Amino acid sequence: MIGYLKGNLISAEEGVAIVDVNGVGYEITCSGAVYGELIKNRGGEVYIYTAVKEDGISLYGFVSQEEKKIFLKLISVSGVGPKMGITVLSSMSVKDLTAKIAAGDVKGLSGVKGLGKKTAERIVLELRDKLGAVSDKDSIPFGIESGYDEESDDAITALMGLGFSRAESVAAVKKAKADGASTIQQTISFALKSMR
């Protein structure tokens, strides 16, 4: 199974990129985020999900391990295949997606091209608990609850979107702040390291 590739961009068209890794060209169906990065930098790193079917092997690419984890959660929902998963992630950021699922925003999700209302409802039903939005108390923003800033709220939302519980996410963000994290990227990075 291929899990990661790094190479030079040969071509890119309609969300599909061909990346040259040591003389071998890999065709990758990409999320919007990694597609943009590959075009901008004429290559780069891609986290890969390998789909094996009777009629062949397909590679799906992501900008980060976190984006890949959300994709895996999406395709675990009945009726959501890899192509639809990529379409969803290309239509909105991981943060927006997790917020919509947590809020039960079926209308917002079904705005994605090709994603019907029933499938959007299944996504909310099956993933809402996994993303940590279980009760009204859980949906209270972290900053309101404890006096932390909006940046910490965003970091916690992102971690919950990766499948960590609210308690785990809150504790990890507190530790990251104590360790000197100042930006949201640093906070999430420090938090993930402490949770591994």
Side-chain angles (χ1 to χ4, degrees):
M1 298 287 274
I2 298 168
Y4 170 89
L5 293 171
K6 183 177 182 179
N8 298 316
L9 183 68
I10 296 173
S11 68
E13 190 175 343
E14 296 180 2
V16 177
I18 298 179
V19 176
D20 173 21
V21 183
N22 298 323
V24 179
Y26 293 88
E27 185 176 284
I28 308 163
T29 302
C30 300
S31 73
V34 77
Y35 188 73
E37 285 295 310
L38 288 172
I39 291 173
K40 186 172 96 177
N41 301 317
R42 300 306 302 164
E45 300 180 318
V46 188
Y47 291 91
I48 300 291
Y49 168 73
T50 307
V52 181
K53 293 184 177 179
E54 290 177 11
D55 58 349
I57 297 172
S58 301
L59 303 180
Y60 296 87
F62 309 93
V63 74
S64 65
Q65 287 277 35
E66 292 73 30
E67 189 180 48
K68 181 179 173 181
K69 284 179 185 175
I70 291 292
F71 170 82
L72 292 174
K73 287 187 184 300
L74 276 173
I75 64 171
S76 72
V77 176
S78 175
V80 180
K83 286 185 180 176
M84 179 51 67
I86 284 284
T87 301
V88 171
L89 286 171
S90 296
S91 302
M92 64 188 81
S93 69
V94 168
K95 182 181 170 185
D96 287 344
L97 174 60
T98 54
K100 279 180 170 50
I101 292 170
D105 184 2
V106 172
K107 188 176 179 183
L109 287 172
S110 57
V112 174
K113 186 179 178 182
L115 184 65
K117 187 182 175 187
K118 285 185 178 179
T119 306
E121 286 171 348
R122 272 200 302 273
I123 289 171
V124 169
L125 185 68
E126 293 183 31
L127 298 186
R128 200 171 186 178
D129 289 350
K130 293 178 185 176
L131 297 180
V134 182
S135 66
D136 290 340
K137 182 180 183 299
D138 281 341
S139 65
I140 297 170
F142 181 48
I144 295 171
E145 198 172 25
S146 64
Y148 264 55
D149 55 27
E150 188 177 340
E151 198 173 81
S152 296
D153 290 347
D154 291 343
I156 287 165
T157 300
L159 291 169
M160 287 168 64
L162 298 175
F164 296 106
S165 71
R166 182 172 187 80
E168 288 173 326
S169 302
V170 169
V173 167
K174 282 183 180 176
K175 185 176 187 314
K177 290 289 184 181
D179 289 345
S182 56
T183 66
I184 187 165
Q185 288 85 1
Q186 282 183 339
T187 302
I188 293 170
S189 177
F190 284 22
L192 284 171
K193 282 177 186 172
S194 74
M195 294 163 102
R196 282 176 184 150

